[in-house]
């Protein structure tokens, strides 16, 4: 986003939810189709686990970016309407972890409402 000059547009951060939703959907669908897994809770945990791994990698990427590439990015976060003032990297990491886990649960639960009745042709009920 920085290369395109869009690093100050806070609304673009909401695109993360679309990426999380797509990733969780893909993980659940692949688990059903490839592993022939029809269990609600197993598929829920697969979706949740995939999105938590994505959140962890995002947080790791942010930490590396702020510490080694652009330490002034914290100021960009402070100036957005989403965060507040006087931020530290640990506060941002904690907030992203909570937000990411919450969106992981919501996406996994929402998608499992669809997939609870979905049966792969290979799964014998």
């Amino acid at each position: 986003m920085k290369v395109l000059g869009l690093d100050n547009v806070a609304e673009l951060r909401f695109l993360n939810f679309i990426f999380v939703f797509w990733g969780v959907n893909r993980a659940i669908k692949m688990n059903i189709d490839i592993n022939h897994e029809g269990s609600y809770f197993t598929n829920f945990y697969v979706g949740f686990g995939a999105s938590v791994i994505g959140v962890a990698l995002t947080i790791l990427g942010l930490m590396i970016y702020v510490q080694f590439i652009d330490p002034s990015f914290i100021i960009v976060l402070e100036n957005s309407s989403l965060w507040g003032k006087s931020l530290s990297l640990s506060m941002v990491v904690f907030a992203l972890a909570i937000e990411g886990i919450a969106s992981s649960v919501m996406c996994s639960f929402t998608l499992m409402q669809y997939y609870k009745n979905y049966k792969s042709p290979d799964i014998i009920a």
Side-chain angles (χ1 to χ4, degrees), residues 30-37:
M30 286 181 69
N31 193 49
I32 290 171
D33 291 342
I34 293 173
N35 296 329
H36 310 294
E37 182 62 58

Side-chain angles (χ1 to χ4, degrees), residues 30-106:
M30 286 181 69
N31 193 49
I32 290 171
D33 291 342
I34 293 173
N35 296 329
H36 310 294
E37 182 62 58
S39 169
Y40 180 91
F41 289 110
T42 301
N43 287 323
F44 176 81
Y45 291 130
V46 164
F48 177 72
S51 58
V52 166
I53 290 170
V55 168
L57 291 173
T58 300
I59 290 171
L60 180 64
L62 177 71
M63 290 170 54
I64 291 169
Y65 182 77
V66 168
Q67 287 185 340
F68 298 110
I69 298 172
D70 186 11
S72 66
F73 188 68
I74 292 290
I75 296 169
V76 172
L77 293 174
E78 286 177 350
N79 292 332
S80 73
S81 61
L82 300 174
W83 292 93
K85 302 295 178 199
S86 302
L87 291 178
S88 67
L89 183 58
S90 59
M91 289 170 57
V92 172
V93 166
F94 178 74
L96 284 177
I98 296 298
E99 176 189 349
I101 290 171
S103 69
S104 299
V105 169
M106 288 188 310

